[in-house]
Amino acid sequence: MEELRKFIKAKIEEKIKDIRLEGEREKRQLKSEFEETKKRLEKDARKEVEGILKLEEIRRVSKVQMENLDKVLRKREEIFEKITEELKDVIKDANWKEILPNLLKEAVKRFGEEKGIVKVNRKFVDLAKKEIQKNKWNLKVIHENGMEEGVIVESVDGRIRVYNTFSTRLERAKDYLFDIMRDIINA
């Protein structure tokens, strides 16, 4: 009986040892799976955080760029306004006996019609009539009260108009002036 007991005890101890070894193997496998899952989750979380941070960086950089662009555009407009104001002073003292005929020729060339009306400021009526007679254009001169310096040539029905006034010339020159300003700023 003692031998049977030793035999049973040995078998039980052997079974316990096998169970413990199997448990340790399962524990190591679970721990390994847990570590892999943990690493994968950390990697995924890191990627997600990096993506969020990258988007935030892009948003902030874009905001700063937009603010800077807005400042540049506002400054550009301020400079253009100063130039315009200075030019208005220059225009007052300009030699219109030379300038107005050239403005009229340019406008008539762009107009391209046989017959029309030339609108000018009251002080330029005689000068415009003289240039029209000199070139034998079929244009009638009328004055516009308060009209700025320059000419407007339009068809008799008013559907075609060519503006060659101080403000329209400035508007056409605006992009050119802005290009010059940009080149100066970027130099």
Side-chain angles (χ1 to χ4, degrees):
M1 198 63 178
E2 191 58 40
E3 276 190 37
L4 185 58
R5 207 195 289 273
K6 283 182 184 180
F7 177 75
I8 292 175
K9 186 178 178 184
K11 284 291 182 187
I12 289 175
E13 286 175 0
E14 190 179 311
K15 226 8 167 177
I16 289 173
K17 186 179 175 184
D18 287 344
I19 291 172
R20 282 188 182 150
L21 286 174
E22 182 64 29
E24 283 298 317
R25 254 194 320 271
E26 284 180 17
K27 183 179 167 182
R28 280 193 302 272
Q29 184 179 352
L30 287 173
K31 192 172 184 178
S32 175
E33 288 174 3
F34 172 76
E35 287 300 320
E36 285 178 23
T37 301
K38 180 181 166 184
K39 285 179 185 176
R40 184 179 47 78
L41 290 174
E42 286 173 347
K43 184 179 176 183
D44 291 347
R46 195 175 307 111
K47 281 183 182 177
E48 185 176 339
V49 168
E50 286 172 356
I52 292 169
L53 290 175
K54 187 67 177 171
L55 288 174
E56 181 63 17
E57 176 187 11
I58 290 168
R59 187 189 68 76
R60 286 183 181 182
V61 167
S62 295
K63 181 181 177 188
V64 168
Q65 287 174 332
M66 291 301 291
E67 288 170 354
N68 288 340
L69 178 61
D70 186 54
K71 288 175 187 175
V72 167
L73 292 176
R74 275 189 273 134
K75 194 63 172 174
R76 184 176 79 169
E77 288 296 326
E78 285 175 26
I79 292 169
F80 184 74
E81 288 303 316
K82 284 180 183 177
I83 290 171
T84 302
E85 289 305 312
E86 289 175 15
L87 285 174
K88 284 179 183 177
D89 291 337
V90 170
I91 291 297
K92 289 176 186 174
D93 300 326
N95 183 357
W96 286 101
K97 288 182 181 182
E98 290 181 22
I99 295 172
L100 191 76
N102 289 327
L103 292 177
L104 186 55
K105 285 176 188 172
E106 288 175 12
V108 168
K109 186 177 179 181
R110 285 196 326 234
F111 180 59
E113 296 289 315
E114 295 289 321
K115 191 175 185 181
I117 299 168
V118 175
K119 294 180 179 180
V120 294
N121 185 300
R122 181 179 296 276
K123 64 185 175 182
F124 299 129
V125 170
D126 292 336
L127 188 56
K129 284 181 179 179
K130 183 179 172 184
E131 191 63 28
I132 289 169
Q133 287 171 353
K134 179 179 149 186
N135 289 286
K136 297 179 182 165
W137 293 321
N138 190 8
L139 299 169
K140 177 184 173 188
V141 178
I142 61 172
H143 67 83
E144 289 281 311
N145 290 330
M147 184 175 152
E148 67 178 306
E149 289 80 2
V151 298
I152 300 172
V153 180
E154 68 179 47
S155 59
V156 177
D157 62 7
R159 292 184 355 187
I160 300 171
R161 270 195 196 110
V162 176
Y163 291 86
N164 207 6
T165 63
F166 174 69
S167 63
T168 57
R169 290 181 72 87
L170 266 181
E171 194 59 38
R172 287 193 300 263
K174 196 175 194 177
D175 289 336
Y176 175 72
L177 290 173
F178 286 161
D179 286 344
I180 290 171
M181 284 189 260
R182 184 189 64 238
D183 291 345
I184 290 169
I185 290 169
N186 291 334

